[in-house]
């Protein structure tokens, strides 16, 4: 946390462990087949945890390949990374953005033949090759050249020469499942990437790494698993937890039937009970779908959420914690209940839980 002032007692605190992120990156790299390297995906502000902190920590640990989604994310990050680091923009380079990419030294992920043509033209104008990654769609129907477009482009050969094609990539649709589609995408990618033998190839996201060596190619692109999300759902999480969220108790009260809690009066006290109000609500990214479901933790005790999640607060059953006091901190996310468990209870995935964690928290980083 360095010299930053201590957060006010009334503020929720999000602790982000950069050491754990770096350890997770190293552990993923150690799983890769011989010769493959590990990138860091830091889009969406490093899945909500702070790209300005996460990316330099990874660079310090030896990561040289980074991916963001938006041009704006890349422009903000570029000055914080070593000049030798490659910063790829997954959403591609739209018409008119070419000069911005060149000036900032960014690598566009070219997603369609039009982008390839514009980037090629830009390189011709400048008279020197420009680096690029080429995205081939093998089953997402989201971004990237279709197999037919890829074959046409490969057949042109010479026409794309001004591009320094450093990477050919594709993305798996169902990497976290054991299913035939992974093998099908792998087979399609293997055929297509062979048209650009000089370019490095990249297919695996976090879960893809765990599908085995044939999926590793030259570069893996993990995001989620860096941040502690389980890349192998249904099996024990091999990654370290990265975040801890604690919220202070704002008020404690005793209620009895027929009193109710919160908007909609959706919870009515069935008996005399103690309840505690915590400073965290849906405006902080705490899923509203956790209304009357999910739990928070205090000194080994599990305290159920009662009634609706409000904008700024939630109410929990503190009957089992008679020692709980105003100002005490209760754990919403951490080692007892992880990102994936909160996501399960909320009916979403860990990616959404992390990327929504709000701006009102006091963010405390444990240095790498
Ligand atoms: C987000 C993203 C990744 C990272 O995926 P994780 O499942 O978070 O590891 C890799 N590649 C592409 C193209 C992506 O959009």
């Amino acid at each position: 946390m360095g010299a930053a002032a201590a957060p006010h007692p009334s503020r929720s605190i999000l602790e982000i462990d950069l050491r754990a992120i770096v350890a997770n990156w190293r552990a993923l790299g150690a799983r890769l087949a011989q010769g493959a390297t590990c990138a860091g995906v830091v889009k969406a502000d490093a899945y909500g945890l702070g790209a300005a902190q996460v990316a330099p920590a990874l660079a310090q640990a030896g990561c040289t390949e980074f991916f963001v989604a938006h041009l704006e994310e890349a422009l903000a990050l570029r000055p914080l990374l070593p000049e030798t680091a490659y910063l790829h923009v997954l959403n591609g380079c739209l018409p008119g953005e070419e000069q911005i990419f060149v000036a900032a030294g960014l690598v566009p992920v070219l997603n369609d033949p039009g982008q390839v043509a514009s980037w090629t033209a830009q390189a011709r104008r400048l008279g020197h090759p420009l680096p690029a990654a080429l995205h081939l769609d093998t089953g997402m129907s989201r971004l990237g050249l279709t197999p037919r477009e890829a074959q046409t482009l490969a057949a042109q050969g010479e026409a794309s020469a001004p591009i320094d094609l450093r990477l050919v990539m594709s993305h798996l649709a169902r990497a976290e499942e054991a299913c035939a589609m992974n093998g099908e995408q792998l087979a399609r990618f293997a055929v297509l990437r062979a048209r650009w033998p000089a370019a490095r190839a990249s297919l695996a996201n976090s879960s893809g790494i765990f599908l085995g060596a044939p999926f590793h190619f030259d570069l893996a692109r993990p995001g989620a698993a860096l941040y502690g999300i389980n890349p192998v759902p249904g099996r024990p999480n091999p990654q370290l937890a990265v975040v801890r969220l604690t919220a202070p108790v704002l008020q404690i009260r005793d209620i009895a039937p027929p009193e109710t809690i919160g908007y909609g009066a959706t919870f009515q006290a069935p008996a005399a009970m103690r309840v505690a109000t915590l400073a965290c609500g849906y405006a902080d990214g705490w899923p509203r779908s956790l209304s009357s479901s999910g739990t928070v933790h205090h000194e080994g005790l599990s305290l159920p959420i009662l009634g609706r999640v409000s904008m700024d607060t939630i109410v929990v059953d503190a009957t089992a914690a008679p020692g709980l006091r105003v100002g005490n901190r209760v754990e919403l996310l951490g080692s007892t209940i992880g990102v994936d468990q909160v996501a399960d209870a909320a009916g979403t995935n860990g990616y959404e839980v992390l990327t929504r964690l709000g701006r009102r928290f006091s963010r405390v980083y444990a240095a790498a």
Side-chain angles (χ1 to χ4, degrees), residues 41 43 47 90 142 169 171 205-206 221-224 351:
V41 177
K43 62 190 180 186
Y47 291 46
L90 291 166
R142 185 175 76 167
M169 57 171 270
H171 193 48
N205 66 336
S206 297
R221 306 184 312 270
Y351 298 66

Side-chain angles (χ1 to χ4, degrees), residues 327-354:
N328 285 169
R329 288 190 171 274
V330 171
E331 186 174 281
L332 281 74
L333 260 180
S335 48
T336 325
I337 179 156
V339 178
D340 294 293
Q341 286 163 278
V342 169
D344 281 348
T348 180
N349 62 10
Y351 298 66
E352 187 176 8
V353 170
L354 280 190

Side-chain angles (χ1 to χ4, degrees), residues 259 264 289 342:
E259 287 176 285
S289 57
V342 169

Side-chain angles (χ1 to χ4, degrees), residues 28 40-43 47 67-69 90-91 109 135 140 142-143 169-172 175-176 202-209 220-227 229 231 351:
L28 292 167
V41 177
V42 293
K43 62 190 180 186
Y47 291 46
F67 291 84
V68 294
L90 291 166
N91 281 7
V109 176
H135 193 166
M140 288 283 286
R142 185 175 76 167
L143 292 172
M169 57 171 270
S170 192
H171 193 48
L172 297 165
E176 69 285 0
S202 175
L203 179 62
N205 66 336
S206 297
S207 296
I209 292 171
R221 306 184 312 270
L226 299 178
Y227 311 111
I229 293 172
Y351 298 66

